[in-house]
Amino acid sequence: QKEVEQNSGPLSVPEGAIASLNCTYSDRGSQSFFWYRQYSGKSPELIMFIYSNGDKEDGRFTAQLNKASQYVSLLIRDSQPSDSATYLCAVNERSPSGGGADGLTFGKGTHLIIQP
Amino acid sequence: DADVTQTPRNRITKTGKRIMLECSQTKGHDRMYWYRQDPGLGLQLIYYSFDVKDINKGEISDGYSVSRQAQAKFSLSLESAIPNQTALYFCATRDRGTDTQYFGPGTRLTVL
């Protein structure tokens, strides 16, 4: 059974600092990796996705993927109070554009608190 | 306008009642999903559909059924609601090119 593990937190980070969120996954066949942000009672919204080993940057966000270690992380630079939310890691075992049998497997999320 | 919409947004019902949650999308995606979310348990896949004629069970389909009326519409039914089906329900679509899933705003369902 595919599993995605995240530390539930809460992870408390001072405003302006770097927040580091981590995720491990069990299925070595995983090909697509996603980070979603979810505010309490709201729907998950996509932050970014990554397919290849290494870093991918988008504004204040950087996703890092290490397939050998089955590890994906999200860095948030210059953290703002509005970044306070639960961050969900999700993986898919299929390659991009290759379809997929059963959707994404989600971790339970890490609750991030940015302290003003 | 929202790309993925869900109705109703909130619903309170009683044990044993039949209830339908509806999802519509204007993203043009052929793949649609229903998830439920419980506090501390994350998102769990109930059903998914690749097109109108292709519907598949997810990890927690017992007690639920679905209908794909058109490419843009995917409904979730609880034939006889029970209290442990109280949860937040999300519909999602999937972009085949990026594998990204896009979520609707959710339906908060309470079964008394």
Side-chain angles (χ1 to χ4, degrees), chain B residues 80-98:
Chain B
S80 179
I82 56 177
N84 75 1
Q85 291 178 313
T86 293
L88 192 53
Y89 289 84
F90 291 107
C91 174
T93 70
R94 181 169 169 182
D95 181 334
R96 275 215 238 179
T98 64

Side-chain angles (χ1 to χ4, degrees), chain B residues 10-21 36 38 63-64 78-89 107-112:
Chain B
N10 289 282
R11 181 71 182 267
I12 300 174
T13 191
K14 295 182 178 180
T15 298
K17 294 291 187 182
R18 183 179 187 275
I19 185 168
M20 178 181 287
L21 309 182
R36 67 176 277 174
D38 299 271
Y64 301 94
L78 288 68
E79 296 301 325
S80 179
I82 56 177
N84 75 1
Q85 291 178 313
T86 293
L88 192 53
Y89 289 84
T107 295
R108 184 171 297 280
L109 176 65
T110 302
V111 183
L112 302 176

Side-chain angles (χ1 to χ4, degrees), chain A residues 1 32 34 36 38 41-44 46 49 51 88 92 94-104 106-108, chain B residues 31 33 35 37 40-43 45 48 50 56 59 88 90 94 96-106 108:
Chain A
Q1 183 173 347
S32 310
F34 303 82
Y36 286 83
Q38 186 177 25
K42 303 297 185 182
S43 60
L46 180 71
F49 54 82
Y51 304 140
L88 305 175
N92 192 310
R94 303 286 179 152
S95 60
S97 300
D102 58 0
L104 299 175
F106 285 85
K108 295 179 181 179
Chain B
R31 299 175 182 221
Y33 302 79
Y35 292 90
Q37 188 175 40
L41 293 182
L43 287 161
L45 182 65
Y48 60 100
F50 289 167
N56 303 278
E59 55 187 311
L88 192 53
F90 291 107
R94 181 169 169 182
R96 275 215 238 179
T98 64
D99 269 353
T100 302
Q101 290 195 9
Y102 297 92
F103 288 83
R108 184 171 297 280

Side-chain angles (χ1 to χ4, degrees), chain A residues 2-3 6 15 20 24-25 28 32 35 39 43 45-46 51 59 62 68-69 78 80-81 86 96 103 105 111 113 115:
Chain A
K2 294 172 287 184
E3 293 184 349
Q6 297 181 254
E15 182 176 358
S20 178
T24 59
Y25 58 95
R28 285 195 171 274
S32 310
W35 283 101
Y39 295 110
S43 60
E45 53 181 331
L46 180 71
Y51 304 140
T62 298
S69 299
D78 188 24
Q80 303 298 310
T86 297
T105 301
H111 183 45
I113 299 172
Q115 296 178 320

Side-chain angles (χ1 to χ4, degrees), chain A residues 82-98:
Chain A
S82 59
D83 294 326
S84 297
T86 297
Y87 288 79
L88 305 175
C89 174
V91 305
N92 192 310
E93 76 283 8
R94 303 286 179 152
S95 60
S97 300

